[in-house]
Amino acid sequence: MTTSVLLAGGGTAGHVSPLLALADCLRRRNPAMTVTVLGTAEGLEARLVPAHGYELRTVPKVPLPRRPGPDLVRLPGRLRGAVRAAADAVQQSGADVVVGFGGYVAAPAYLAARRRGVPIVVHEQNPLPGVANRLGARLTRFVATTFPDTKLAHSVHTGMPLRHQISSLASLTVDERAARQMSARAALGLDRDRTTLLVTGGSLGAQRLNETFGAAAADLRAAGVQVLHVSGTGKQVDVEPAVDGQAPYVVLPYADRMDEAYLAADLVVCRAGANTVCELATVGLPAAYVPLPIGNGEQRLNAEPVVAAGGGLLVDDVGCTPDWVRQVLLPLLADPTSLHAMGEAATRFVVPDADERLADLVLSAAGSRS
């Protein structure tokens, strides 16, 4: 009998990336396995899931309010429609297990699975669990966390499932990495031999990073540092085109091949989403983390273990200014010994086989139904 798995998650790369990593791992184990994804029509998953060869079924986007207000009053009606759509997906896919990654899609999926008696697996990416996964953890004994100190009932620490194209970079030899770095830089329109800074605000971009590094572009070029800047879809960075002899400043709205971006870089400046933190630690890249200044502070908590181990810097959003680039970042970029030591320290944070650990939990859950 072939196992059928329904994976629920979407909105941003923080949910979609680990979902796809698990999907790929399950398919590697058993190419005949049925893997279906439940997401929204508006999120990143609408493009990435079909592009990776998986069927996408959609539910209405239903944000779960964190505090009382009009959205909370409207929640029951919205949630009923989403649960009906999720229940249809559970039935039509013949799911033996439903795996949720939090966010808008997960809560309807958990409730639909519970009603139909389908086992549930929860994966929580952040140190502070979100509303959907706190709900899901009450409905199952199969709960996985990225961080060891996350407080959820029945949880086991599996780490963050990463796409194979990212996790495989950790096993490259020094010579293999150097060769691939040169080819990645060339493919991205960068010089092969210049010190390279990667700036990324994630799939949605980060206005603070876009403004700061646009303003500091001349200083970076004057220091001979080239930049690959992932601005976010629909967002711009105002940078003058390079003239002959200047260090390139390449702006991309989105990077489908983050493995190439990571290979090209010597240092990264980024937000501190859990997926980003885990990917950089796995690859062994030092980073300056600029946590998103809204929400409940989970991005700072994501980065703190790596920073405490010596694998990066923490910078408040308001402190990420052109002056900070000049006074802190440029001296660090000019110190390859420190960059190497930071990268080595970051790798101590990694759970290298997180996708396999989570796949084991998913198959155990599926087997519990019989």
Side-chain angles (χ1 to χ4, degrees), residues 279-304:
E279 286 186 346
L280 293 177
T282 297
V283 178
L285 267 175
Y289 295 103
V290 188
L292 193 68
I294 60 175
N296 55 7
E298 65 266 21
Q299 285 209 353
R300 176 173 286 273
L301 293 174
N302 292 342
E304 281 178 345

Side-chain angles (χ1 to χ4, degrees), residues 10 38 50 71 84 114 123 126 149 192 222 233-234 242 244-245 258 266 280 288 344 357 369:
L38 190 66
D71 285 340
R84 282 195 298 270
R114 176 62 175 252
H123 184 271
N126 298 302
D149 297 328
R192 290 174 177 265
T233 303
D244 289 345
M258 282 304 294
D266 296 299
L280 293 177
E344 288 285 315
R357 294 187 186 202
R369 191 182 188 187

Side-chain angles (χ1 to χ4, degrees), residues 111-176:
L111 294 171
R114 176 62 175 252
R115 290 179 182 180
R116 294 186 170 275
V118 175
I120 295 166
V121 177
V122 173
H123 184 271
E124 174 56 53
Q125 290 88 61
N126 298 302
L128 294 178
V131 175
N133 278 352
R134 292 203 302 270
L135 167 66
R138 299 176 65 178
L139 306 178
T140 183
R141 58 188 175 87
F142 300 100
V143 180
T145 65
T146 292
F147 295 88
D149 297 328
T150 300
K151 299 296 188 292
L152 275 178
H154 317 299
S155 64
V156 294
H157 175 220
T158 61
M160 175 70 83
L162 299 178
R163 292 163 292 174
H164 190 65
Q165 65 180 190
I166 300 293
S167 61
S168 63
L169 301 183
S171 62
L172 294 178
T173 66
V174 173
D175 288 344
E176 288 171 339

Side-chain angles (χ1 to χ4, degrees), residues 174-224:
V174 173
D175 288 344
E176 288 171 339
R177 184 158 185 155
R180 289 193 57 183
Q181 182 178 74
M182 295 301 101
S183 62
R185 287 178 178 175
L188 290 163
L190 300 167
D191 290 345
R192 290 174 177 265
D193 299 319
R194 288 187 189 269
T195 299
T196 305
L197 174 67
L198 169 63
V199 179
T200 174
S203 57
L204 301 180
Q207 193 62 28
R208 171 74 68 178
L209 300 187
N210 291 349
E211 291 174 355
T212 291
F213 283 88
D219 298 285
L220 290 157
R221 279 176 166 162

Side-chain angles (χ1 to χ4, degrees), residues 22 34 64 139 270:
L22 175 63
T34 301
L64 298 180
L139 306 178
C270 55

Side-chain angles (χ1 to χ4, degrees), residues 7-364:
L7 308 179
T12 68
H15 292 130
V16 179
S17 292
L19 181 154
L20 290 173
L22 175 63
D24 290 346
C25 181
L26 292 170
R27 278 279 176 85
R28 287 196 304 271
R29 288 189 175 198
N30 181 3
M33 186 177 297
T34 301
V35 179
T36 308
V37 177
L38 190 66
T40 68
E42 302 88 3
L44 195 63
E45 66 275 17
R47 181 172 64 86
L48 292 185
V49 168
H52 280 74
Y54 299 105
E55 180 184 3
L56 176 69
R57 294 180 177 270
T58 60
V59 297
K61 182 177 176 180
V62 183
L64 298 180
R66 295 176 181 264
R67 55 185 61 86
D71 285 340
L72 187 61
V73 175
R74 290 189 287 266
L75 178 63
R78 291 175 173 175
L79 193 56
R80 278 194 295 272
V83 172
R84 282 195 298 270
D88 288 343
V90 171
Q91 180 179 10
Q92 292 166 14
S93 66
D96 298 299
V97 59
V98 170
V99 186
F101 291 84
Y104 301 134
V105 179
Y110 296 147
L111 294 171
R114 176 62 175 252
R115 290 179 182 180
R116 294 186 170 275
V118 175
I120 295 166
V121 177
V122 173
H123 184 271
E124 174 56 53
Q125 290 88 61
N126 298 302
L128 294 178
V131 175
N133 278 352
R134 292 203 302 270
L135 167 66
R138 299 176 65 178
L139 306 178
T140 183
R141 58 188 175 87
F142 300 100
V143 180
T145 65
T146 292
F147 295 88
D149 297 328
T150 300
K151 299 296 188 292
L152 275 178
H154 317 299
S155 64
V156 294
H157 175 220
T158 61
M160 175 70 83
L162 299 178
R163 292 163 292 174
H164 190 65
Q165 65 180 190
I166 300 293
S167 61
S168 63
L169 301 183
S171 62
L172 294 178
T173 66
V174 173
D175 288 344
E176 288 171 339
R177 184 158 185 155
R180 289 193 57 183
Q181 182 178 74
M182 295 301 101
S183 62
R185 287 178 178 175
L188 290 163
L190 300 167
D191 290 345
R192 290 174 177 265
D193 299 319
R194 288 187 189 269
T195 299
T196 305
L197 174 67
L198 169 63
V199 179
T200 174
S203 57
L204 301 180
Q207 193 62 28
R208 171 74 68 178
L209 300 187
N210 291 349
E211 291 174 355
T212 291
F213 283 88
D219 298 285
L220 290 157
R221 279 176 166 162
V225 174
Q226 63 184 350
V227 180
L228 175 65
H229 191 141
V230 183
S231 62
T233 303
K235 298 180 180 176
Q236 296 182 332
V237 181
D238 295 324
V239 178
E240 293 293 326
V243 299
D244 289 345
Q246 277 191 327
Y249 196 116
V250 175
V251 180
L252 300 176
Y254 184 80
D256 282 321
R257 290 292 305 275
M258 282 304 294
D259 56 323
E260 288 193 342
Y262 291 158
L263 280 166
D266 296 299
L267 177 69
V268 183
V269 179
C270 55
R271 290 300 194 197
N275 196 70
T276 298
V277 172
C278 293
E279 286 186 346
L280 293 177
T282 297
V283 178
L285 267 175
Y289 295 103
V290 188
L292 193 68
I294 60 175
N296 55 7
E298 65 266 21
Q299 285 209 353
R300 176 173 286 273
L301 293 174
N302 292 342
E304 281 178 345
V306 175
V307 173
L313 309 174
L314 260 176
V315 186
D316 289 336
D317 189 75
V318 296
C320 183
T321 65
D323 280 343
W324 172 79
V325 173
R326 288 186 284 267
Q327 295 169 14
V328 177
L329 207 64
L330 284 176
L332 181 57
L333 284 161
D335 186 354
T337 301
S338 293
L339 291 176
H340 179 75
M342 291 172 67
E344 288 285 315
T347 61
R348 302 186 194 115
F349 172 75
V350 175
V351 180
D353 58 347
D355 56 346
E356 298 287 351
R357 294 187 186 202
L358 183 57
D360 287 341
L361 191 68
V362 169
L363 295 176
S364 293

